[in-house]
Amino acid sequence: ERELVELLRDARHDVSRVATDDPQLAHRMVEKVDLLLIAGGDGTVATVLEKVEGGSAPIGILPLGTANNLARTFGIEGDIEELIEGLADGELAPVDFGIADGPWGRTRFFESAGFGALAEGLGPVNAARVPSAEKIPSGRRALRETFGRMEPALLQVTIDGERQDERLLMLELARVDTLGPRLCLAPGATPGDGTIHVVTLAPEAREDMLRWLEDP
C-alpha cells in the first residue's frame, strides 16, 4: 500500500487513500477530485462501483487481483508502474451496470449475475480465500467438479418480453466477456454496449463444457 502511494506521488499525483471497508467510503467518493482510482481485483472494483453515484469523477483501475475481468475488458493490464505513468493520457469509456432484485434486496452488478454452476462452484473457492496464484486453477477445478455432478434446474426466463421455460445447468447475465476464473463465456460483451449478454448451458452440452474447462 505504501509503495503504491509513493508510485502515484512520484508520478506527480496528490493522493488521498481510503479503504473499501471504511464506513466513510461512499461519502469520500463524492468529494471533488480529478480521478477515483481503484487498486484491486474484481471484488474490490465492484465494491467501489456499487457506491458510485452519477456525476462522480472519472474512475480508473489498477488491476491488483487475480482474474481482473473488469480491468481486462477495458484493456487495462500490464506493469503497474507503466499504468500509473499512463493515467494522464487515459481515455474515457462508458460503463453500464445491471440491477438484480431478489430476496437479498437490490444490488448492482458489473461483471455478471447468475444462477447455477458458476455461483455454486465458485462460492466455496471465494470463501476459502485461496492464494492468488492458485485462484484461477482452483476455480476451474471447482467448476469441473460442479458441472460434472450438478442436476439441471427448470428455469422460467423472460428475455425482451419473450418467456422460455428451460432446464439449465447455468444462466449468467454477463456485462463483460470473461467471468469468474478468467473464462471467456460471453465473447464480445463490453460494459458500455448497452446490452446484457445471456449465457446458458443446457444439460446436453455438459460434456462439451467439461472438455473446454480442461483447456479454455
Side-chain angles (χ1 to χ4, degrees), residues 80-215:
I80 294 298
E81 291 189 38
E82 292 181 0
L83 290 175
I84 288 174
E85 290 173 3
L87 283 174
D89 300 318
E91 298 180 1
L92 290 177
V95 179
D96 302 326
F97 58 86
I99 296 177
D101 277 314
W104 57 83
R106 168 174 284 206
T107 184
R108 298 176 185 174
F109 63 92
F110 297 85
E111 185 176 346
S112 71
F115 172 89
L118 228 63
E120 184 173 328
L122 297 180
V125 177
N126 294 332
R129 312 291 291 181
V130 174
S132 182
E134 285 295 313
K135 202 163 186 180
I136 288 178
S138 295
R140 291 179 179 180
R141 283 195 300 270
L143 286 179
R144 286 198 296 271
E145 192 275 332
T146 304
F147 276 117
R149 64 168 170 77
M150 189 174 182
E151 293 298 321
L154 179 61
L155 301 181
Q156 296 178 352
V157 185
T158 302
I159 302 171
D160 294 338
E162 182 179 340
R163 174 174 157 174
Q164 304 173 55
D165 295 353
E166 297 190 62
R167 298 187 66 80
L168 298 172
L169 296 170
M170 176 183 73
L171 170 73
E172 287 292 323
L173 307 178
R175 299 290 309 112
V176 297
D177 55 357
T178 59
L179 308 179
R182 205 176 289 173
L183 296 173
C184 188
L185 292 171
T190 58
D193 67 4
T195 61
I196 287 177
H197 295 246
V198 183
V199 184
T200 64
L201 189 77
E204 54 268 27
R206 185 197 307 263
E207 294 303 321
D208 288 338
M209 174 60 87
L210 290 173
R211 282 192 295 271
W212 182 70
L213 283 170
E214 291 289 342
D215 184 13

Side-chain angles (χ1 to χ4, degrees), residues 10-142:
D10 288 344
R12 300 182 180 181
H13 297 289
D14 294 323
V15 182
S16 176
R17 185 196 64 80
V18 60
T20 52
D21 58 0
D22 190 319
Q24 293 297 310
L25 177 63
H27 172 72
R28 294 286 300 277
M29 287 197 304
V30 297
E31 295 175 355
K32 187 173 178 58
V33 297
D34 296 317
L35 178 70
L36 294 170
L37 187 62
I38 309 171
D42 291 318
T44 301
V45 174
T47 297
V48 176
L49 292 180
E50 170 69 24
K51 296 176 172 59
V52 169
E53 299 296 337
S56 296
I59 296 164
I61 301 173
L62 289 180
L64 299 179
T66 306
N68 297 314
N69 291 320
L70 286 162
R72 286 163 59 88
T73 292
F74 291 108
I76 303 172
E77 51 188 329
D79 180 78
I80 294 298
E81 291 189 38
E82 292 181 0
L83 290 175
I84 288 174
E85 290 173 3
L87 283 174
D89 300 318
E91 298 180 1
L92 290 177
V95 179
D96 302 326
F97 58 86
I99 296 177
D101 277 314
W104 57 83
R106 168 174 284 206
T107 184
R108 298 176 185 174
F109 63 92
F110 297 85
E111 185 176 346
S112 71
F115 172 89
L118 228 63
E120 184 173 328
L122 297 180
V125 177
N126 294 332
R129 312 291 291 181
V130 174
S132 182
E134 285 295 313
K135 202 163 186 180
I136 288 178
S138 295
R140 291 179 179 180
R141 283 195 300 270

